[in-house]
Amino acid sequence: MTIQIRKLDSRQPDFQETLDALLAFEASTDEAIEQAVTGIIAQVRARGDEAVLEYTNRFDRIPNGGAQSMAAFDIPQQELDAALAALPEKQRLALQTAAERIRLFHERQKQELQGFSYTEADGTVLGQRVTPLDRVGIYVPGGKAAYPSSVLMNAVPARVAGVQEIIMVVPTPDGVKNQMVLAAAAIAGVTRVISIGGAQAVAALAYGTETIQPVDKIVGPGNAYVASAKRRVFGTVGIDMIAGPSEILVICDGSTDPDWVAMDLFSQAEHDELAQAILLCPDADYIAKVEASIAKLLPAMPRQDVIRTSLTDRGALIQVRDMAEACAIANSIAAEHLEISAENPQQWAEQIRHAGAMFLGRFSSESLGDYCCGPNHVLPTSRTARFSSPLGVYDFQKRSSVIQVSEAGAQTLGKVAAELAYGEGLQAHARSAELRLKQGV
Amino acid sequence: MTIQIRKLDSRQPDFQETLDALLAFEASTDEAIEQAVTGIIAQVRARGDEAVLEYTNRFDRIPNGGAQSMAAFDIPQQELDAALAALPEKQRLALQTAAERIRLFHERQKQELQGFSYTEADGTVLGQRVTPLDRVGIYVPGGKAAYPSSVLMNAVPARVAGVQEIIMVVPTPDGVKNQMVLAAAAIAGVTRVISIGGAQAVAALAYGTETIQPVDKIVGPGNAYVASAKRRVFGTVGIDMIAGPSEILVICDGSTDPDWVAMDLFSQAEHDELAQAILLCPDADYIAKVEASIAKLLPAMPRQDVIRTSLTDRGALIQVRDMAEACAIANSIAAEHLEISAENPQQWAEQIRHAGAMFLGRFSSESLGDYCCGPNHVLPTSRTARFSSPLGVYDFQKRSSVIQVSEAGAQTLGKVAAELAYGEGLQAHARSAELRLKQGV
């Protein structure tokens, strides 16, 4: 079975239109899911543990007639530690190496955001305090798409931020636990693991139940039910972004082994049929070589069906006029992952304004970043890199302004505030400022 | 007309329950508004300027038969400058002083977030870049609730962040322009002002029209239509928080002039009937004094009806066991504005984990912070200070990870990544890493 991947040329008159259509992705809303989630959340708010227990037994097909109480869903620390100890040594070491590198990178983020304070001439002190969230929930999907790397990427930044309670929920369909996920929880410093999932787990984390304290923020990926539930509890708790399909954009100058670029495109495409993998290159001959590599390498890939669908439906090999145009197009795409596989990649990186993560040079394959470089693999998708950032320590911190006005400061600031408050028709604001004036007004 | 303000005591057995009920606020969703907004957004996406023009002429009752084209809604720079020049001198100076102080505080925020980069022993470079958004939209309400201070608080941080295009939309019901708002736009460095509003303005900013370039983020307060529209375009663009009613929590040790505290409570209560003003104090006699001050000062307030309703429905004077308990309660309330009106306020501030802004000491009235201290007055409401921050320069910036793996780095990282990728069943990820190994696998 061959593969036909779309080839575009930026010189074509309809290029922009074609590209826009290719990039367009709007998450559809399934009314049945929305209604189901509304019901589940209402039940969990009204009946707490009882509802969570019922839904979990039913949806996750908990064996032996289901669990009798919520306590059965708590996975104790010893079980996490045992899962870690039982991993093959190479896997355990790889997980520990990845966690340590992720921690190191995120410590830099923490160092950068320390808050500040300064004192003005009249003694007035102004500042900003940075404090961690008290308690967060991390959603980890169960079943096939259970990724230990995601446990690390979500939990380690929370831990570095100083969050005291990190509650991980992970469903165990048919009662089956993913040992590598439990091991990752042990390494990442998760403080409690509960084997529940779905909208019922999101509702329990957001509103609390008899056995689960409500959290301040919920992060982590999930299916359509989980995404819908997160949207609905937003405001009561914080949430991370609702992620769209994963994307890679490779800018290549035509000097990288075409097999490498083909495999990099595969590594995104294998995630799911909706994933998007695009190559931008000024060299038509090189594009043909990548196309040949794709055809050659695809049959050996275990996930070739997913890759083929993704590349056929949403992929593209695009010939551009030059590398500068490639950078301009990359800015309009604002990709989740951007590889600049080129000589002296820094010169092109300087022209990039929007990307979730940039991978510079031929050796920086996205897959290294997905697992163990250190930066987070939870990144803004669907052009949201125009205005949002990778998941980071800052997502588990918040700022408070600190204002301590001196008596002298109140004299000058009070007049300014009163003038503006009267201008806005807010007289109590004005009087509140004026009462602090020595020569009362 | 007297006022009855709720008095609570933390020693009462049902105190926590009563407090929770008092704090509870859930924004109701009006189905008619939701449907209207869905229709408006669909029309603007389909028909662009034509739809915006029609809606604006109709909803804002534009006189003389309405505007003929979108060009009529653009307010030129000269008109902004003229509005500023025409202000009474005291008002103009107050506005300029406030803007300059806001700029200075937000410059500190910018200095704090510079990004970072570090090189590992094998030559691998890891870092984080911080870049401004390209283009943002600032929504400013028209009519009665038009606040020039909000123009400054939203636009100045965007300007400091380095946003190149700051598009302000402000409806002009009956064609009436608020001169102080236009003057604030001139001072704040807004790059374009369009006199449109409502859901149609939000849709135009999010999706663009023939005459309006789509923005990357929309910030600023608005009515229920605007809030609904912002929720709906979220994802296509970034938005700030959807604000709930404003809140003040005053912790007082009983040594501040009770008139000052009463007026501080008023200054929040006068915003709207749903605003919440609460006092925590360990001294029953002092609470009685504040109550007397409230009764004494209220009749002189032009907005006394709003204040009375707000204090009666949602306000409270709460006697606590001691100042430490006041701080614990404050953490559970996570107020938008927290005044610590006490001797040596720093000792209590250290016990506060959650607050949008803290005002320390008797001279730090919230009203000073609302206008001219420098920190932002756009703050998290409805307990969201547990997980979110004041509006700031960081809301107009985003981060990108930068990963440049050296050839040597790819050898060690590649093995770790491949091990984990195989463990997750993502073979293309593994192969992509392995292809970079010298001793190819």
Side-chain angles (χ1 to χ4, degrees):
Chain A
M1 202 170 147
T2 60
I3 175 168
Q4 276 296 98
I5 181 167
R6 188 180 286 100
K7 294 215 276 184
L8 303 177
D9 187 321
S10 68
R11 290 178 192 80
Q12 291 162 335
D14 62 347
F15 169 70
Q16 190 60 47
E17 218 178 324
T18 312
L19 181 64
D20 288 347
L22 184 66
L23 296 173
F25 176 81
E26 223 160 324
S28 59
T29 316
D30 182 324
E31 204 41 56
I33 292 178
E34 295 301 317
Q35 293 207 359
V37 169
T38 306
I40 292 168
I41 292 175
Q43 284 292 313
V44 173
R45 289 187 73 172
R47 299 195 295 126
D49 281 344
E50 195 178 66
V52 177
L53 186 65
E54 281 174 19
Y55 286 125
T56 304
N57 282 334
R58 190 188 335 155
F59 296 151
D60 293 339
R61 302 171 303 277
I62 302 301
N64 305 319
Q68 298 304 306
S69 77
M70 286 294 288
F73 296 130
D74 257 294
I75 303 182
Q77 184 65 43
Q78 305 93 286
E79 193 173 338
L80 308 181
D81 294 340
L84 179 60
L87 285 188
E89 192 186 2
K90 267 181 78 178
Q91 211 170 55
R92 191 178 68 243
L93 287 176
L95 214 47
Q96 285 168 330
T97 302
E100 177 60 11
R101 294 186 57 89
I102 295 166
R103 190 185 65 73
L104 284 172
F105 182 84
H106 288 79
E107 287 285 357
R108 295 285 180 136
Q109 290 182 337
K110 188 179 185 185
Q111 282 165 28
E112 193 183 28
L113 206 62
Q114 298 280 349
F116 57 82
S117 177
Y118 59 95
T119 305
E120 300 190 308
D122 63 19
T124 293
V125 180
L126 300 172
Q128 186 169 278
R129 270 202 348 198
V130 180
T131 45
L133 276 59
D134 281 351
R135 188 185 299 123
V136 303
I138 294 180
Y139 192 95
V140 177
K144 278 192 299 179
Y147 295 143
S149 58
S150 289
V151 175
L152 301 182
M153 292 293 183
N154 281 279
V156 170
R159 179 84 167 176
V160 170
V163 175
Q164 290 298 306
E165 291 185 57
I166 304 173
I167 304 179
M168 176 174 127
V169 293
V170 56
T172 52
D174 301 305
V176 179
K177 295 171 184 167
N178 181 318
Q179 295 302 310
M180 210 167 160
V181 162
L182 299 190
I187 292 177
V190 169
T191 56
R192 184 180 176 191
V193 179
I194 314 175
S195 58
I196 59 175
Q200 59 276 16
V202 174
L205 289 172
Y207 297 104
T209 69
E210 299 88 328
T211 63
I212 301 173
Q213 291 262 82
V215 303
D216 300 305
K217 187 166 189 168
I218 301 175
V219 300
N223 63 19
Y225 291 85
V226 172
S228 167
K230 280 170 66 183
R231 276 188 194 278
R232 275 157 198 276
V233 301
F234 175 56
T236 298
V237 297
I239 61 166
D240 56 352
M241 277 258 159
I242 307 281
S246 199
E247 314 144 4
I248 191 172
L249 180 66
V250 180
I251 296 180
C252 185
D253 60 3
S255 64
T256 304
D257 184 331
D259 282 0
W260 294 16
V261 169
M263 194 59 77
D264 292 355
L265 297 174
F266 288 0
S267 75
Q268 200 58 30
E270 76 173 340
H271 272 297
D272 80 85
E273 286 87 351
L274 289 171
Q276 186 156 57
I278 296 177
L279 170 65
L280 299 174
C281 176
D283 179 346
D285 290 344
Y286 182 77
I287 291 177
K289 283 183 195 156
V290 172
E291 205 180 8
S293 291
I294 288 174
K296 175 188 74 180
L297 296 169
L298 185 62
M301 303 315 301
R303 296 172 70 84
Q304 60 176 289
D305 291 344
V306 178
I307 296 172
R308 184 178 292 109
T309 307
S310 160
L311 289 183
T312 306
D313 292 353
R314 303 207 68 220
L317 306 176
I318 304 178
Q319 190 186 342
V320 291
R321 289 181 180 81
D322 50 36
M323 290 291 281
E325 187 187 38
C327 293
I329 294 173
N331 281 325
S332 77
I333 293 178
E336 183 190 12
H337 305 97
L338 173 66
E339 280 187 17
I340 303 183
S341 199
E343 280 298 310
N344 190 5
Q346 201 58 51
Q347 63 180 312
W348 309 118
E350 281 162 17
Q351 299 188 25
I352 300 298
R353 297 196 312 282
H354 312 300
M358 287 186 269
F359 297 80
L360 309 186
R362 332 184 182 300
F363 285 96
S364 307
S365 74
E366 186 215 306
S367 62
L368 301 180
D370 284 343
Y371 289 106
C372 58
C373 287
N376 213 288
H377 79 194
V378 181
L379 296 166
T381 60
S382 305
R383 298 190 68 232
T384 59
R386 291 175 296 128
F387 57 83
S388 54
S389 303
L391 188 74
V393 171
Y394 36 83
D395 286 298
F396 300 101
Q397 299 174 310
K398 59 334 192 256
R399 304 165 173 92
S400 300
S401 302
V402 181
I403 295 171
Q404 184 161 9
V405 179
S406 67
E407 184 172 356
Q411 309 309 307
T412 51
L413 294 176
K415 286 168 198 143
V416 174
E419 178 69 30
L420 294 172
Y422 283 124
E424 294 186 351
L426 295 174
Q427 300 87 359
H429 282 70
R431 293 296 300 150
S432 168
E434 287 174 343
L435 286 176
R436 268 89 173 173
L437 299 180
K438 274 182 184 161
Q439 338 256 0
V441 180
Chain B
M1 201 170 149
T2 60
I3 175 167
Q4 276 296 100
I5 181 166
R6 187 179 288 100
K7 295 215 276 184
L8 303 178
D9 186 320
S10 68
R11 290 177 192 80
Q12 290 162 335
D14 62 348
F15 169 69
Q16 190 60 49
E17 218 178 322
T18 311
L19 181 64
D20 288 347
L22 184 65
L23 297 173
F25 176 81
E26 222 158 325
S28 58
T29 316
D30 182 324
E31 204 42 55
I33 292 178
E34 295 301 318
Q35 292 207 359
V37 168
T38 305
I40 292 168
I41 292 176
Q43 285 292 313
V44 173
R45 288 187 73 173
R47 299 196 294 127
D49 281 344
E50 194 178 68
V52 177
L53 187 64
E54 281 173 20
Y55 286 125
T56 304
N57 282 334
R58 190 188 335 157
F59 296 151
D60 292 340
R61 303 172 303 276
I62 302 301
N64 307 320
Q68 298 304 306
S69 77
M70 285 294 288
F73 296 131
D74 256 294
I75 303 183
Q77 184 64 43
Q78 304 93 287
E79 192 173 339
L80 308 181
D81 294 340
L84 178 60
L87 284 189
E89 191 185 3
K90 264 181 80 178
Q91 212 170 54
R92 190 177 68 243
L93 288 176
L95 214 47
Q96 285 167 332
T97 301
E100 177 61 11
R101 293 186 58 89
I102 295 165
R103 190 186 65 73
L104 284 172
F105 182 83
H106 288 80
E107 287 284 357
R108 295 285 179 136
Q109 289 183 338
K110 188 179 186 186
Q111 282 164 29
E112 193 184 27
L113 205 62
Q114 299 280 349
F116 57 83
S117 177
Y118 59 96
T119 305
E120 300 190 308
D122 63 20
T124 294
V125 180
L126 299 171
Q128 187 168 277
R129 272 204 345 202
V130 180
T131 45
L133 275 57
D134 281 351
R135 188 185 300 123
V136 303
I138 294 181
Y139 192 95
V140 177
K144 277 191 300 178
Y147 295 142
S149 58
S150 288
V151 176
L152 301 183
M153 292 292 184
N154 281 279
V156 171
R159 178 84 168 178
V160 170
V163 175
Q164 291 297 307
E165 291 185 57
I166 304 173
I167 304 179
M168 178 173 127
V169 294
V170 54
T172 51
D174 301 306
V176 179
K177 295 171 186 169
N178 181 317
Q179 296 302 311
M180 210 167 160
V181 162
L182 300 191
I187 292 176
V190 168
T191 55
R192 184 178 176 193
V193 178
I194 314 175
S195 58
I196 59 174
Q200 59 276 16
V202 173
L205 289 172
Y207 297 104
T209 70
E210 298 87 328
T211 61
I212 301 173
Q213 291 263 82
V215 302
D216 300 305
K217 188 166 188 168
I218 301 175
V219 299
N223 64 18
Y225 290 86
V226 172
S228 167
K230 280 170 65 182
R231 276 187 193 280
R232 273 156 200 277
V233 300
F234 175 55
T236 298
V237 297
I239 61 167
D240 56 352
M241 277 259 160
I242 307 282
S246 199
E247 313 145 5
I248 191 172
L249 180 66
V250 180
I251 296 180
C252 185
D253 60 3
S255 64
T256 304
D257 183 332
D259 282 359
W260 294 16
V261 169
M263 194 59 77
D264 293 355
L265 297 174
F266 287 1
S267 74
Q268 200 57 30
E270 76 174 338
H271 272 297
D272 80 84
E273 286 88 351
L274 289 171
Q276 185 155 59
I278 296 177
L279 170 66
L280 299 175
C281 177
D283 179 346
D285 290 344
Y286 182 79
I287 290 177
K289 284 184 195 155
V290 172
E291 204 180 7
S293 291
I294 288 174
K296 175 187 74 182
L297 296 169
L298 186 61
M301 303 314 302
R303 295 173 71 83
Q304 61 176 287
D305 290 344
V306 177
I307 295 171
R308 185 179 290 107
T309 307
S310 160
L311 289 183
T312 307
D313 292 353
R314 303 206 70 218
L317 307 175
I318 304 177
Q319 189 186 343
V320 291
R321 289 180 179 83
D322 50 36
M323 289 291 282
E325 188 186 38
C327 293
I329 294 173
N331 281 324
S332 78
I333 293 178
E336 184 190 11
H337 305 97
L338 173 66
E339 280 187 17
I340 303 183
S341 200
E343 280 297 312
N344 190 4
Q346 201 57 52
Q347 64 180 312
W348 308 118
E350 281 161 18
Q351 299 187 26
I352 300 299
R353 296 196 312 282
H354 312 300
M358 287 186 266
F359 298 80
L360 309 185
R362 333 184 182 299
F363 286 96
S364 307
S365 74
E366 187 214 305
S367 62
L368 301 180
D370 284 344
Y371 290 106
C372 57
C373 286
N376 213 288
H377 79 193
V378 181
L379 296 166
T381 60
S382 304
R383 297 191 68 232
T384 59
R386 290 175 297 126
F387 55 84
S388 53
S389 303
L391 188 73
V393 171
Y394 36 83
D395 286 299
F396 300 100
Q397 299 173 310
K398 60 332 194 255
R399 304 165 172 93
S400 301
S401 302
V402 181
I403 296 171
Q404 184 161 9
V405 179
S406 67
E407 185 172 355
Q411 308 309 306
T412 52
L413 294 175
K415 285 169 198 144
V416 174
E419 178 69 31
L420 295 172
Y422 283 124
E424 294 186 351
L426 295 173
Q427 299 86 0
H429 283 69
R431 294 295 301 150
S432 168
E434 287 174 345
L435 286 175
R436 269 88 175 175
L437 299 182
K438 274 183 186 161
Q439 338 257 0
V441 180

